[in-house]
């Protein structure tokens, strides 16, 4: 597993046990400040240059709900960087306000493209990439795409739109189920109240008859 994917997997799947381990490490004297600085806050000059080029390549699709950045082979020469630093770019597109799907594509030496997809909410990154032969989990997934840069983008945008439609349909279905449930509960409540009123009326009638 690549470094960026490993970090994403930890960030998505951490739980109580993670915090317990972190607390024990801190109690044993782990230098948390330097750990955070080295792993999350320190950038090489070559990465900073590559990051700038990648951000300049950013394009938006699907009513600005999807952001793409694309790292081309010539960017390595321009920045002095290489493929080992690309993984740290994966979360940049999804950090943009209003973006639900962030995609980082990188051109491979054979001319194909590797895509890293990050999603928010209930949009399933693994479903998007799975239909393109890749995989991952709900919030982070990846796949490899053939063809030109634009063909790769078009293929991903198509699957992202399909996932958004499926997501919208699921929301509508959930809303309708909730409406039906509420109406059913109301009908049951009214039936119970009617039965109660009927029993009370019958009891009152019998009482009057016994006077």
């Amino acid at each position: 597993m690549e470094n960026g994917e490993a970090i994403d997997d930890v960030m998505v799947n951490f739980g109580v046990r993670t915090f317990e381990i972190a607390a024990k490490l801190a109690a044993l004297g782990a230098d948390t400040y330097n750990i955070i600085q080295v792993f999350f806050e320190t950038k090489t000059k070559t990465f900073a240059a590559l990051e700038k080029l990648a951000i300049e390549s950013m394009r938006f699709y699907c009513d600005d709900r999807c952001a793409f950045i694309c790292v081309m082979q010539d960017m390595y020469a321009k920045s002095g960087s290489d493929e080992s630093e690309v993984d740290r770019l994966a979360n940049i597109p999804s950090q943009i306000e209003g973006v639900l799907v962030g995609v980082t594509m990188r051109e491979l030496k054979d001319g194909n493209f590797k895509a890293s997809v990050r999603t928010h909410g209930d949009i399933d990154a693994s479903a998007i990439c799975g239909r393109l032969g890749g995989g991952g989990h709900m919030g982070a997934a990846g796949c490899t795409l053939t063809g030109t840069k634009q063909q790769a983008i078009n293929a991903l945008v198509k699957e992202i739109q399909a996932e958004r439609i499926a997501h919208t349909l699921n929301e509508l279905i959930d809303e309708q189920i909730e409406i039906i449930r509420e109406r059913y509960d109301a009908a049951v409540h009214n039936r119970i109240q009617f039965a109660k009123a009927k029993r009370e009326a019958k009891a009152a009638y019998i009482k009057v008859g016994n006077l």
Side-chain angles (χ1 to χ4, degrees):
M1 183 178 289
E2 297 181 11
N3 292 339
E5 293 173 345
I7 291 173
D8 285 330
D9 191 57
V10 171
M11 295 300 288
V12 170
N13 296 301
F14 69 86
V16 174
R17 181 61 178 159
T18 308
F19 289 106
E20 290 175 346
I21 293 171
K24 288 181 179 179
L25 289 172
L28 291 171
D31 191 343
T32 54
Y33 174 81
N34 280 328
I35 290 172
I36 291 171
Q37 187 176 46
V38 169
F39 281 95
F40 300 104
E41 296 179 357
T42 301
K43 299 178 182 180
T44 63
K45 291 180 180 179
T46 54
F47 173 78
L50 181 65
E51 183 181 41
K52 178 178 181 295
L53 293 171
I55 290 174
E56 289 173 350
S57 77
M58 189 176 294
R59 298 292 183 271
F60 293 88
Y61 301 88
C62 305
D63 300 322
D64 293 342
R65 292 296 189 177
C66 178
F68 275 70
I69 61 176
C70 190
V71 179
M72 305 300 288
Q73 284 289 320
D74 64 352
M75 290 183 181
Y76 300 133
K78 292 177 181 178
S79 64
S81 182
D82 56 44
E83 290 189 356
S84 68
E85 295 191 301
V86 176
D87 291 328
R88 294 184 63 186
L89 298 170
N91 292 319
I92 290 177
S94 61
Q95 292 172 350
I96 305 299
E97 182 180 8
V99 168
L100 297 177
V101 182
V103 180
T104 298
M105 291 196 342
R106 68 178 178 191
E107 183 185 22
L108 303 175
K109 291 179 180 179
D110 62 4
N112 293 324
F113 289 85
K114 181 174 181 179
S116 295
V117 179
R118 305 291 181 266
T119 58
H120 294 301
D122 294 330
I123 298 179
D124 191 347
S126 65
I128 294 169
C129 292
R131 291 192 289 269
L132 294 168
H137 49 76
M138 183 77 177
C143 59
T144 299
L145 302 160
T146 59
T148 65
K149 172 185 171 182
Q150 194 57 53
Q151 287 172 334
I153 291 173
N154 291 344
L156 265 169
V157 169
K158 180 181 177 181
E159 296 306 331
I160 290 167
Q161 288 175 330
E163 182 62 21
R164 287 187 68 205
I165 292 171
H167 175 65
T168 301
L169 287 174
N170 286 336
E171 285 187 334
L172 291 173
I173 291 171
D174 288 342
E175 288 176 3
Q176 291 302 313
I177 289 174
E178 186 60 29
I179 290 172
I180 292 171
R181 183 181 292 113
E182 290 176 356
R183 289 178 177 174
Y184 174 79
D185 290 344
V188 170
H189 176 74
N190 290 337
R191 186 172 180 178
I192 292 172
Q193 292 299 106
F194 176 76
K196 180 181 178 182
K198 186 177 180 181
R199 288 195 301 271
E200 291 175 348
K202 184 177 181 180
Y205 176 79
I206 294 173
K207 184 177 181 179
V208 170
N210 292 332
L211 292 178

